[in-house]
Every structure is written in C-alpha cells, then in structure tokens.
Amino acid sequence: MLNRSLGRDDPMRALLTRKLDGATVVGKDAVADDVATLNSRVSFRANDGLPQSRILTRDYQGGSVGLALAVTTPRGLALLGLTVGQSFILASNDRLMLDEVLYQPEGAGRNRALFASTPVLRQRPKLRLIQGSGGIAAPVQHSGYPDDPGPSAA
C-alpha cells in the first residue's frame, strides 16, 4: 500500500507511515480480542458524534452502503490496529475513537477451537420421549388461505 501511494504529498502515505511507525506485529493467535483487525466489525465515533458500526475491509466489496469501511480510506486505516478506548487524530483533525470490537475473526477462531476441544460440547444430546400421542393424530387445520401449505411446510 505504501508503494502504491501517489507521492510524498499523498495524505494516505503520511497516515500509513504514522501507523507503521507505531505498529507492533504479532501472530494471529496473539492478537487481543479488543484490537480492530481486518474484517472486524467495530463500533467507533468521529469527533464525539454518534456511534457508527462498520466492518473493516481490504477494499470496498460491494454490498450494502455503509456496511464496510475499507482500510484504503483514511478512517478505515486509522481504525485498523486500535484497541478499545484508543483514539486517532487524522490530518483533517477528525478524532476517531474505537468504542467496541463487536466481532473479530481472530477471536472467533480461538473461540471455535476452544469449543471444539471441550468434551461436553462434542457429545450428542440424549433425547428421551416424555409423552407420546398414543397413535391419535390431531386434525390438521389450515388458515383458509388457498396458498397456505399448512403445518407440513414447517
């Protein structure tokens, strides 16, 4: 990304340089759950405004407007790597505050591995019939609408 910047006067180059100078590189298993990473859903505020929720993406990938925030934009890049409670001031003097990491892929992966290794969760639940119908079937009642398939559709 740094090599693709437009030149020394490109504001994204200065922002990326600031981010890289303060960055600490860690493996995915060492990333704390409160750090905004790529593909994380985060809640943040700009200039003490109302909270906004976005997914940090590499590029805009289509989809719903306002759902994603690409790290190729100043706001997306500023949020990347912040921990909850940290703020970042952009060149435009906008102050971004990370309020919450709602979902983080690295944390979700650790949780899946934890649940898979728990013996109790790998056992199938045992079901026991408490009361049977005794062979008597209840009459099927339709709503009266001609396109209603009835209970069998459920």
Side-chain angles (χ1 to χ4, degrees):
M1 192 170 165
L2 187 59
N3 293 334
R4 290 182 290 172
S5 64
L6 301 175
R8 290 188 181 275
D9 297 331
D10 182 11
M12 285 298 287
R13 181 181 184 91
L15 175 58
L16 184 56
T17 301
R18 275 179 60 198
K19 293 294 284 188
L20 289 173
D21 287 345
T24 302
V25 179
V26 297
K28 70 178 184 174
D29 293 334
V31 176
D33 290 337
D34 64 346
V35 175
T37 62
L38 201 58
N39 297 319
S40 291
R41 175 175 282 284
V42 298
S43 175
F44 68 97
R45 287 176 285 129
N47 299 322
D48 298 323
L50 295 174
Q52 302 177 42
S53 176
R54 300 284 189 279
I55 298 171
L56 297 178
T57 61
R58 185 170 173 250
D59 293 312
Y60 284 112
Q61 301 170 353
S64 301
V65 173
L67 179 66
L69 182 59
V71 296
T72 54
T73 65
R75 283 189 174 190
L77 183 57
L79 289 168
L80 187 66
L82 290 184
T83 59
V84 172
Q86 267 189 319
S87 62
F88 192 93
I89 299 175
L90 297 168
S92 61
N93 287 327
D94 284 343
R95 180 177 164 266
L96 300 179
M97 168 73 82
L98 182 63
D99 291 328
E100 188 176 0
V101 176
L102 302 166
Y103 170 81
Q104 182 201 67
E106 295 81 5
R110 283 190 298 270
N111 291 339
R112 274 193 300 272
L114 175 67
F115 288 135
S117 67
T118 306
V120 174
L121 296 176
R122 286 189 288 166
Q123 296 175 359
R124 290 187 71 169
K126 295 183 177 162
L127 302 176
R128 183 174 63 124
L129 182 63
I130 296 174
Q131 180 180 359
S133 66
I136 302 170
V140 176
Q141 296 179 357
H142 292 281
S143 65
Y145 295 103
D147 62 343
D148 181 14
S152 62

